[in-house]
Amino acid sequence: MESIGALFPFALILAAFYLLIIRPARKRSQSASALQQQLAPGLEIMTTAGIFGRVVSVEEDAVTVEVSPGTSIRFAKAAVGRILTEEEPAEVDTDHPDPDESSR
């Protein structure tokens, strides 16, 4: 019975390791894989380096992004940080209210 009691702290450490490290990493990996599967020409994206552009073509492990008219860059699919959608709310600058609204 004492040997089981001695193993309890190790089991607790393993459970905490799984919940705090392995499970979140697996979730991030799955969401990154899902994002890479959604890539298609015409989508607006942001890379992990903060570069914005429109997808021109998608290859097996790379994506070509047009960052300005006539300028394209080839990235690894893993470098795509997020897909920008039209549904995302625009940022509102609350520090500097619109002067036109105060006169109404």
Side-chain angles (χ1 to χ4, degrees), residues 15 60 97:
E60 187 174 327

Side-chain angles (χ1 to χ4, degrees), residues 18-95:
Y18 174 78
L19 290 174
L20 296 174
I21 307 228
I22 296 173
R23 190 169 168 226
R26 187 176 296 162
K27 225 177 217 188
R28 278 191 302 272
S29 175
Q30 288 174 347
S31 66
S33 178
L35 178 113
Q36 291 172 10
Q37 294 297 320
Q38 294 176 353
L39 291 175
L43 287 175
E44 290 283 333
I45 63 161
M46 183 182 81
T47 67
T48 54
I51 298 172
F52 292 86
R54 183 177 304 275
V55 175
V56 176
S57 68
V58 179
E59 300 168 25
E60 187 174 327
D61 60 346
V63 61
T64 303
V65 178
E66 185 178 42
V67 292
S68 67
T71 306
S72 297
I73 303 174
R74 188 169 177 239
F75 287 98
K77 276 187 175 180
V80 176
R82 67 180 177 159
I83 296 174
L84 305 175
T85 62
E86 299 297 324
E87 293 83 33
E88 287 184 11
E91 288 188 25
V92 178
D93 189 3
T94 57
D95 294 334

